[in-house]
Amino acid sequence: MGRAGRARLAVLALLGSILVPLVAAGLRSVLWALAGIAGLALAAVGVWWTLAHTGALRALGAALSLIAPGAVLALYAAFGMLGPALLSLGLWLLALTAARTALAPGHTAASRQAFAEAPHTPWVLMNPRSGGGKVDRFDLVEKARAAGCRVTLLDAGRHQDVTELARQAVAEGADLLAVAGGDGTQALVAEVAARHDLPFVVIPAGTRNHFALDLGLDRDDPAAALDALTHGVELRIDLGYAADRVFVNNASFGTYASVVTDPAYRDAKARTTLRTLPGLLTGENAPRLRTRADRTYVDGLQALLVSNNPYGRAVDAAHPGRRERLDSGLLGVVCVRVGNTAQAARMVGGPRSGGLIRLSAAEVVVEAGTGTLPVGIDGEHVVLPSPVVCRSAPGALRVRVPRRHSHAPRVSGGAADWPRVARMALGRLSSGRGQDQR
């Protein structure tokens, strides 16, 4: 479906989401909508109490977060409004997703590409522990060697400097660097590749591998990435830096970064998070961050995420939290500012509530009232001197991907511009507006 077709679908779905409750309940539909909003607000309060408190208040919050939306659904069902409400919600989500995809730029993370010659001395670093043993499960060592790669395996029994291993490979003549492992390891080797202007291959052998996902690679078939050696195309993408540390996905500050400093986090993530969050959200030592994203200043933050290119929105149902492109030259910034019950309740108002702020910038400065800041860089915990300057390095990395995977899945754009969507649906966009015609 073309962009104009998606715009028409968005407009029709939006109208349907309004008409369905009006037909079912007339003007009383406004009261039903207010009841739904109240239920969501109470649920948000319940979640806040669960995360920010302990004891009886935590138990009450957990109960409220479940009971409030359940009570609204039961009320809708009792008065015959459950079906219309669910249909209206589904149409609204469809409208929002279709509108954003209609407005998305006509290029993706893999748009700037060139056919690549096969390397002569490729080198690949593999972490046998990543992804629950994907290296062994998919016979990646044997397949990489058969493709002409020199393979270095990380030894679980001793500490090894990943960056130094990559530098040594370059000194020994490697003309391509590759990694089979998690995003943190990918980032360390990618920095060496970028510094020496060498091509880099991602082999998705980690647990999540969000970087590989946004490159359009198949995380369920990591061996397929080796096709990039002989049948590949080359992309120029950005890297992000937090001080002198590179990241391919994101750097997190505040609450989450503090949680992962706890030694118990790796073995008991949920229990450790629930134990430490109350002190981090409402305690005396709760982090209070402030940031400057280019010329925009925001303070009083509990958490901050800086990403290598902006993430899409979670309600873009097909691919939540995906990056539309990796070559925009901008950092994405997501700020969380929820310090009390009232602010938690206002979160249902969306971006206008002030609790969740989304920005994009070429440079982001993060600081707090401390000399150092804990930071989660692509899932790895580090401590950096405050303030931390994050920046984008546009086009710094040459990434090779298999030719048959060279078009990353398109994800939706930013906030829906409904007047523009309507003009697109009606075919009234000016032919001179090249951006709208792509």
Side-chain angles (χ1 to χ4, degrees), residues 30-111:
V30 176
L31 298 177
W32 290 114
L34 292 175
I37 293 171
L40 289 175
L42 288 173
V45 169
V47 171
W48 170 253
W49 286 352
T50 302
L51 297 178
H53 299 281
T54 59
L57 198 54
R58 168 171 283 180
L60 178 60
L64 184 61
S65 64
L66 296 174
I67 292 172
V72 171
L73 292 176
L75 185 65
Y76 281 9
F79 287 87
M81 284 297 298
L82 182 59
L86 292 177
L87 178 58
S88 178
L89 177 62
L91 288 171
W92 178 78
L93 290 174
L94 175 62
L96 199 60
T97 301
R100 287 174 178 164
T101 55
L103 296 176
H107 45 265
T108 68
S111 61

Side-chain angles (χ1 to χ4, degrees), residues 135-216:
V135 168
D136 292 333
R137 196 158 65 249
F138 290 92
D139 299 321
L140 294 180
V141 174
E142 292 76 10
K143 292 176 180 177
R145 285 174 176 160
C149 293
R150 181 162 61 90
V151 178
T152 297
L153 289 172
L154 289 177
D155 187 348
R158 61 191 180 96
H159 172 74
Q160 292 170 283
D161 188 327
V162 170
T163 301
E164 185 56 36
L165 289 174
R167 288 173 180 164
Q168 182 179 345
V170 174
E172 293 173 354
D175 61 352
L176 178 145
L177 304 182
V179 177
D183 288 328
T185 308
Q186 299 277 1
L188 293 174
V189 178
E191 181 181 25
V192 177
R195 187 178 299 275
H196 294 276
D197 197 31
L198 292 177
F200 179 70
V201 169
V202 175
I203 304 173
T207 302
R208 296 179 181 86
N209 282 121
H210 295 293
F211 185 43
L213 183 66
D214 288 336
L215 285 170

Side-chain angles (χ1 to χ4, degrees), residues 51-412:
L51 297 178
H53 299 281
T54 59
L57 198 54
R58 168 171 283 180
L60 178 60
L64 184 61
S65 64
L66 296 174
I67 292 172
V72 171
L73 292 176
L75 185 65
Y76 281 9
F79 287 87
M81 284 297 298
L82 182 59
L86 292 177
L87 178 58
S88 178
L89 177 62
L91 288 171
W92 178 78
L93 290 174
L94 175 62
L96 199 60
T97 301
R100 287 174 178 164
T101 55
L103 296 176
H107 45 265
T108 68
S111 61
R112 299 178 184 177
Q113 55 187 257
F115 293 109
E117 295 182 1
H120 298 291
T121 54
W123 174 84
V124 58
L125 178 69
M126 296 192 178
N127 185 353
R129 295 170 293 171
S130 288
K134 281 186 177 180
V135 168
D136 292 333
R137 196 158 65 249
F138 290 92
D139 299 321
L140 294 180
V141 174
E142 292 76 10
K143 292 176 180 177
R145 285 174 176 160
C149 293
R150 181 162 61 90
V151 178
T152 297
L153 289 172
L154 289 177
D155 187 348
R158 61 191 180 96
H159 172 74
Q160 292 170 283
D161 188 327
V162 170
T163 301
E164 185 56 36
L165 289 174
R167 288 173 180 164
Q168 182 179 345
V170 174
E172 293 173 354
D175 61 352
L176 178 145
L177 304 182
V179 177
D183 288 328
T185 308
Q186 299 277 1
L188 293 174
V189 178
E191 181 181 25
V192 177
R195 187 178 299 275
H196 294 276
D197 197 31
L198 292 177
F200 179 70
V201 169
V202 175
I203 304 173
T207 302
R208 296 179 181 86
N209 282 121
H210 295 293
F211 185 43
L213 183 66
D214 288 336
L215 285 170
L217 300 175
D218 185 353
R219 297 184 297 179
D220 296 324
D221 185 12
L226 292 169
D227 290 345
L229 299 176
T230 52
H231 300 89
V233 294
E234 188 168 297
L235 322 172
R236 277 281 184 181
I237 67 169
D238 309 334
L239 287 177
Y241 281 84
D244 60 346
R245 290 294 300 264
V246 71
F247 57 91
V248 294
N249 289 329
N250 56 62
S252 60
F253 300 82
T255 304
Y256 172 73
S258 298
V259 168
V260 299
T261 62
D262 194 310
Y265 177 77
R266 287 194 176 274
D267 296 325
K269 291 181 172 60
R271 188 184 311 122
T272 305
T273 300
L274 287 174
R275 175 173 54 80
T276 57
L277 270 182
L280 293 173
L281 292 175
T282 58
E284 293 182 359
N285 297 321
R288 289 294 182 268
L289 304 172
R290 53 187 179 271
T291 185
R292 174 178 59 79
D294 287 345
R295 297 183 180 181
T296 302
Y297 293 83
V298 187
D299 59 10
L301 302 174
Q302 281 76 37
L304 177 72
L305 184 77
V306 180
S307 59
N308 176 27
N309 287 264
Y311 283 107
R313 298 167 190 264
V315 295
D316 294 341
H319 301 286
R322 297 281 303 281
R323 287 170 287 183
E324 178 191 343
R325 54 188 295 182
L326 295 172
D327 61 354
S328 71
L330 293 173
L331 300 171
V333 187
V334 179
C335 310
V336 178
R337 182 166 54 191
V338 183
N340 53 52
T341 302
Q343 290 177 347
R346 287 199 296 269
M347 284 287 286
V348 300
R352 291 172 297 178
S353 69
L356 184 67
I357 303 167
R358 296 170 58 92
L359 303 165
S360 59
E363 180 182 274
V364 179
V365 181
V366 185
E367 56 185 327
T370 56
T372 60
L373 279 174
V375 189
I377 297 182
D378 285 336
E380 302 294 328
H381 169 253
V382 300
V383 177
L384 298 175
S386 177
V388 177
V389 178
C390 301
R391 61 182 177 86
S392 175
L397 184 63
R398 298 165 57 191
V399 173
R400 289 192 183 179
V401 296
R403 196 171 305 172
R404 60 194 178 95
H405 291 302
S406 62
H407 294 284
R410 182 175 298 174
V411 296
S412 52

